[in-house]
Amino acid sequence: MVADSKNPAKLTFGDQEIDLPVYSPVLGPDVLDIRKLYAQGDVFTFDPGFTSTASCESAITFIDGDKGELLYRGYPIDQLAENSHFIEVCYLLLYGELPTPAQLDEFEPRVTRHTMLHEQMHNFFSGFRRDAHPMAIITGVMGALSSFYHDSTDVNDPWQREVASIRMIAKMPTIAAWAYKYSIGQPFVYPRNELDYASNFLHMCFAVPAEEYNVDPIVARAMDRIFTLHADHEQNASTSTVRLAGSSGANPFACIAAGIACLWGPAHGGANEAALNMLREIGTVDRIPEFIERAKDKNDPFRLMGFGHRVYKNFDPRAKVMKESADEVLGLLGIENNPTLQVAIELERIALTDPYFIDRKLYPNVDFYSGIILDAIGFPTSMFTPIFALARTVGWIAQWKEMIADPTQKIGRPRQLYTGAKHRDYLDIENR
Ligand code: SDX
């Protein structure tokens, strides 16, 4: 914990005055420590959506929403996207420092050798309908892993936490790829140890037993960069879900399954699928004004998917890198003048000149452009959020490990502002 500042905040209400310790973080706003507020003042704070609440202390990721800056362990996301690769970013998020060559040589094979799933898992997949959304399958399979790996479910054993972490990072690409194969009726393709993380995932998704499949290095590089851009993001909804599940001592597989379930929502990780569907529904540039008006209409539930963010009140740095990558990948793949990309670029241009979006500081977020690249690579929209979940697994795990190792952490148990019925006695049905 960062040292208290010298001047506690003073909260006065009624005849009470309560001192609240103030902590100054390494980066970001000061925080008021209200942990003793209820005991001292018999009052709760009220912050649904946690718009002004720090739920924990963390040293993993920092977002400056005004500057549009995202740091993984202090390193800017654009520099990592340009110079690093996902397995190195996994090491950074998990252990706090960029790996030396020796550390990377030891870490990468540990992940590679855990990519296979228990053969019994085939039966688990076949229990789903063929048209099941891949997110439904991935949520179920991740939770079910705890029934296969009893030797890494004791959260109080650091060695078991480490093994479970490597297993989940390694197996998520296989689970996601097999969910895709199952949905299109093709046989599962096993991981290949000679391939890097991104290439292995692409090979498991697009190879078929009938012929050799060589992963395009351009596509593999784009896939790897997408994984890096999605790896972690402070205390977002799904990460907070993982932390809350972990605070009860639930096993690591159950905690990550909870995070996957939360990420599925269209306001969160489901937005990449919704954003591409929206761009396709708009279809042509001339229809953009109609949808801009709908997004502004309070009586219309329609929102511009892939726009806006709780924290970024300037551009989302990930969207910037994603947009550059979309241009590059589509150009290199020879998909010139992709109509969906043209609609996205024009929609962004028009929205960012409209006072409604400017006043509310609504900019494209990570989900606005990612779907265009994933679509160009050949994924159906139903695989967009599974890919987000695959990439975010390392972030969830890093945050979960940090929480478990925090000696001050307690089970998460918020209170409430109760506005229901007062105490009343039971009424027999004949008297109602
Ligand atoms: C992710 O938290 C994270 O870090 C998440 C994430 C991560 O990496 O983990 O970054 C990943 O989830 C990105 C966000 C993906 N979601 C979407 O693209 C869905 C569309 N966006 C919105 O649903 C919304 O912007 C949120 C959910 C992202 C943020 O919602 P907030 O912070 O609660 O903001 P709000 O709903 O209070 O909106 C403020 C105003 C409102 O208008 P007023 O009531 O003030 O008049 O802005 C409007 C909203 O109606 N608004 C939008 C809008 N987003 C907000 N209007 C039109 N289109 C939008 N997209």
Side-chain angles (χ1 to χ4, degrees):
M1 178 63 74
V2 180
D4 288 6
S5 76
K6 299 290 174 288
N7 312 309
K10 291 192 178 304
L11 179 64
T12 55
F13 58 97
D15 56 358
Q16 298 196 71
E17 179 174 285
I18 296 176
D19 281 357
L20 298 175
V22 177
Y23 305 132
S24 296
V26 170
L27 291 171
D30 283 353
V31 299
L32 307 188
D33 185 343
I34 58 168
R35 282 175 289 186
K36 295 189 169 55
L37 179 60
Y38 178 52
Q40 291 174 352
D42 196 29
V43 288
F44 297 146
T45 58
F46 184 61
D47 186 12
F50 310 120
T51 49
S52 303
T53 294
S55 62
C56 63
E57 176 185 350
S58 180
I60 299 172
T61 296
F62 178 74
I63 301 170
D64 184 323
D66 295 325
K67 287 201 289 189
E69 186 175 53
L70 169 59
L71 308 176
Y72 288 170
R73 300 286 190 178
Y75 295 100
I77 191 65
D78 51 332
Q79 292 183 26
L80 291 170
E82 181 63 31
N83 304 307
S84 185
H85 57 87
F86 185 64
I87 283 295
E88 183 174 82
V89 167
C90 286
Y91 187 98
L92 173 66
L93 289 171
L94 289 171
Y95 307 116
E97 297 296 336
L98 289 168
T100 63
Q103 289 166 332
L104 194 57
D105 289 346
E106 186 276 335
F107 178 71
E108 187 157 19
R110 274 205 287 142
V111 174
T112 303
R113 280 200 298 273
H114 278 91
T115 49
M116 285 183 69
L117 290 177
H118 191 291
E119 200 62 11
Q120 199 75 16
M121 272 280 168
H122 283 243
N123 305 324
F124 201 87
F125 279 84
S126 58
F128 288 95
R129 287 170 45 127
R130 285 285 179 183
D131 62 354
H133 193 292
M135 283 298 282
I137 298 176
I138 291 168
T139 305
V141 171
M142 176 55 77
L145 282 185
S146 57
S147 66
F148 285 84
Y149 297 111
H150 297 293
D151 64 342
S152 63
T153 53
D154 176 1
V155 299
N156 298 309
D157 177 344
W159 180 84
Q160 293 194 38
R161 296 204 296 267
E162 179 68 14
V163 170
S165 301
I166 297 297
R167 278 174 166 156
M168 289 188 280
I169 292 165
K171 295 178 193 307
M172 263 301 268
T174 311
I175 295 170
W178 287 16
Y180 171 56
K181 284 303 204 185
Y182 185 75
S183 73
I184 57 174
Q186 287 188 1
F188 295 148
V189 173
Y190 285 80
R192 307 276 315 171
N193 286 355
E194 75 274 13
L195 297 176
D196 64 63
Y197 194 86
S199 301
N200 215 350
F201 173 63
L202 291 164
H203 186 264
M204 287 188 281
C205 288
F206 297 123
V208 289
E211 59 189 28
E212 277 305 302
Y213 178 83
N214 296 312
V215 176
D216 182 331
I218 295 163
V219 173
R221 178 67 189 132
M223 189 81 262
D224 188 275
R225 184 177 292 157
I226 286 174
F227 290 160
T228 291
L229 292 173
H230 287 82
D232 195 45
H233 215 238
E234 284 192 5
Q235 306 312 318
N236 58 83
S238 54
T239 297
S240 300
T241 300
V242 170
R243 280 181 172 261
L244 197 55
S247 73
S248 77
N251 76 70
F253 305 98
C255 295
I256 300 306
I260 296 169
C262 177
L263 185 77
W264 195 0
H268 190 14
N272 52 18
E273 177 176 357
L276 191 77
N277 290 337
M278 174 193 73
L279 292 171
R280 284 181 174 152
E281 186 187 356
I282 295 172
T284 53
V285 167
D286 63 312
R287 293 192 65 206
I288 290 174
E290 167 199 337
F291 284 83
I292 294 268
E293 288 316 304
R294 282 188 57 196
K296 292 155 61 174
D297 178 358
K298 290 300 168 212
N299 299 317
D300 188 331
F302 174 80
R303 285 195 159 182
L304 280 190
M305 301 314 282
F307 255 77
H309 198 277
R310 171 63 57 75
V311 178
Y312 290 120
K313 299 310 170 193
N314 199 321
F315 63 91
D316 179 336
R318 302 169 298 174
K320 200 157 169 272
V321 176
M322 202 71 82
K323 180 178 178 182
E324 290 158 9
S325 193
D327 274 333
E328 178 193 345
V329 171
L330 269 61
L332 291 169
L333 291 177
I335 310 172
E336 302 298 348
N337 306 320
N338 176 295
T340 311
L341 179 59
Q342 299 315 315
V343 169
I345 291 171
E346 183 62 7
L347 173 58
E348 177 185 2
R349 187 192 67 76
I350 295 174
L352 297 188
T353 58
D354 185 304
Y356 173 92
F357 295 90
I358 295 169
D359 297 347
R360 291 165 181 79
K361 302 183 187 302
L362 301 176
Y363 294 84
N365 58 49
V366 68
D367 296 310
F368 189 65
Y369 284 103
S370 56
I372 292 166
I373 303 175
L374 296 175
D375 175 58
I377 291 174
F379 289 106
T381 53
S382 61
M383 278 299 291
F384 290 5
T385 308
I387 288 167
F388 192 152
L390 185 172
R392 185 54 58 89
T393 295
V394 64
W396 288 329
I397 288 170
Q399 299 274 350
W400 168 77
K401 288 177 76 173
E402 183 179 66
M403 179 212 60
I404 297 278
D406 179 350
T408 67
Q409 75 95 14
K410 303 163 75 75
I411 188 167
R413 206 283 185 213
R415 302 304 299 271
Q416 61 180 9
L417 168 65
Y418 177 69
T419 54
K422 289 185 179 174
H423 178 98
R424 52 185 174 167
D425 294 328
Y426 181 76
L427 207 56
D428 291 332
I429 194 162
E430 55 270 12
N431 298 324
R432 291 174 202 161

